[in-house]
Amino acid sequence: MPTPPATPPATLLTIDTDHGRVHVDPVGLRLGELLVTDEGAELEVVGLDPLRFEPAPEEDEDWGE
């Protein structure tokens, strides 16, 4: 049985933001995706070209009500 071709490794970029650094694979990013910086801040991908991040909206706690 032939071996499937190897998937090339992802190219990660390190991007400095106002909220810390994020390490991303620009090919796999999608709008609305959430990322966590090295300082623990959650950022949302709001633009792909150019690549832009904004602080993720805080969600209300869901107590199952």
Side-chain angles (χ1 to χ4, degrees):
M1 183 178 273
T3 305
T7 304
T11 302
L12 292 180
L13 295 179
T14 299
I15 300 172
D16 287 314
T17 73
D18 292 339
H19 307 282
R21 288 187 177 132
V22 291
H23 306 283
V24 299
D25 173 8
V27 175
L29 279 180
R30 289 179 267 158
L31 285 176
E33 187 169 347
L34 298 178
L35 305 170
V36 178
T37 69
D38 61 349
E39 295 179 12
E42 288 188 349
L43 300 178
E44 181 178 0
V45 178
V46 295
L48 296 174
D49 190 19
L51 191 54
R52 290 187 320 115
F53 307 100
E54 289 185 7
E58 291 189 27
E59 294 188 21
D60 292 332
E61 291 187 35
D62 180 7
W63 295 94
E65 298 173 359

